[in-house]
Amino acid sequence: GVTTDVGEEEGEPEPPRNFTAKQLRHFDGTKDEKTDEEKPVYLSVSGTVFDVSKGRDFYGPGGPYEQFAGRECGVALATMSFDETLLDNVEACKELGVGDKAELDNWKEKFEHYRCYPIMGRLVPDAKLPPSDRVVAVEELSKFNGLSDEVPKGEYEGYARMPILVGALDKVFDCSFGGVPMYGKDGPYNKFAGKDVSRALALMSFDPKDIENADISDLEEKKITILKDWVNTFENKKGYPVVGKLVKKF
């Protein structure tokens, strides 16, 4: 399939996306075993994810700040500490004292306006993700169809953009974590957003009658295997978080 994870090509900058901690860890500047190319270097400062690849000598492998690559490092930067226990804790940024808070703001200012590191999106801590076993009705899915431009608030405060939910088998995936160009507005798979597309995925079909009908009880085993492959891709290759389980009505 088309990979839109790299964003190295010229042209439109990628729309802001959400990152899980595990997804962020991927962008550590080491060599990607699949492509044999160096991965970009991202890091998060108080939940804002920057692409610091231009500063690879500092933040990439062998650099003085390499342990910050692919991690949330707001508290560590604010206190100028390399203590491993200070990494990956977005919430702790809110608890800093006045002096350290000012230092944190300085770093963000420096990254954004002085170094002009591109902002890639937001890190959503695992504790802020909805539980994977919460029950989601199909009607609930449809509210998260990738077309919303509203600023996330309430339970989604701190997200770069509103969730984009896609149902497959009994799982609900949030594709705003890296799948915005595919499932967001104008994306080739936007028709799948906000729906249980088990049948459409199994049949690899864009036919509206397959997209609107999630019933897979009449499909042969070979088709079910294709669907399971999709689910595996979403969960393990793309790392889209599972944010609920579907209630099926048959």
Side-chain angles (χ1 to χ4, degrees):
V2 184
T3 54
T4 45
D5 296 340
V6 185
E8 294 287 281
E9 302 80 39
E10 290 302 309
E12 287 292 298
E14 279 205 25
R17 56 165 285 189
N18 298 314
F19 289 84
T20 63
K22 187 177 178 190
Q23 286 176 331
L24 185 61
R25 288 297 284 262
H26 171 78
F27 296 99
D28 60 2
T30 58
K31 190 165 274 197
D32 189 330
E33 288 163 17
K34 292 196 199 94
T35 62
D36 216 31
E37 290 173 9
E38 287 181 332
K39 293 185 282 197
V41 187
Y42 293 179
L43 52 77
S44 167
V45 182
S46 188
T48 299
V49 176
F50 291 93
D51 180 347
V52 299
S53 301
K54 286 190 294 193
R56 186 179 288 277
D57 291 349
F58 288 98
Y59 302 102
Y65 297 98
E66 68 176 325
Q67 79 182 96
F68 295 166
R71 314 283 289 268
E72 158 61 39
C73 56
V75 173
L77 286 172
T79 57
M80 277 325 293
S81 166
F82 288 98
D83 181 349
E84 178 87 15
T85 61
L86 297 179
L87 297 176
D88 305 326
N89 191 343
V90 179
E91 290 304 305
C93 293
K94 295 175 186 163
E95 292 152 23
L96 289 168
V98 178
D100 290 338
K101 179 83 176 63
E103 191 57 34
L104 177 66
D105 292 340
N106 283 343
W107 276 99
K108 284 172 81 168
E109 179 83 4
K110 180 172 154 184
F111 275 22
E112 194 171 342
H113 301 294
Y114 180 62
R115 296 275 182 224
C116 297
Y117 292 138
I119 292 177
M120 305 309 290
R122 300 276 307 171
L123 170 66
V124 178
D126 290 349
K128 279 208 73 165
L129 290 170
S132 59
D133 59 353
R134 74 170 173 156
V135 173
V136 179
V138 174
E139 301 76 46
E140 179 72 10
L141 273 189
S142 63
K143 297 175 192 166
F144 299 96
N145 60 6
L147 301 178
S148 169
D149 288 327
E150 67 178 291
V151 176
K153 51 185 184 291
E155 66 178 305
Y156 301 114
E157 193 176 337
Y159 280 53
R161 59 175 306 120
M162 288 297 283
I164 302 172
L165 301 186
V166 173
L169 270 179
D170 59 343
K171 294 183 174 176
V172 178
F173 294 95
D174 187 346
C175 299
S176 68
F177 286 79
V180 179
M182 303 301 277
Y183 298 93
K185 199 189 273 182
D186 303 325
Y189 290 94
N190 177 251
K191 292 186 184 76
F192 288 3
K195 298 190 170 73
D196 173 1
V197 286
S198 299
R199 186 179 186 85
L201 290 172
L203 297 173
M204 313 261 275
S205 166
F206 278 116
D207 188 325
K209 69 178 195 296
D210 294 323
I211 293 174
E212 298 303 330
N213 170 20
D215 184 13
I216 55 172
S217 60
D218 62 329
L219 299 183
E220 55 184 329
E221 192 54 44
K222 201 161 70 178
K223 302 297 184 194
I224 302 297
T225 302
I226 292 171
L227 172 57
K228 287 178 177 167
D229 285 344
W230 274 102
V231 168
N232 183 48
T233 295
F234 283 3
E235 198 164 353
N236 299 311
K237 291 195 183 136
K238 298 291 184 189
Y240 299 148
V242 178
V243 294
K245 60 181 186 182
L246 279 171
V247 197
K248 302 276 191 179
K249 294 199 189 93
F250 292 131

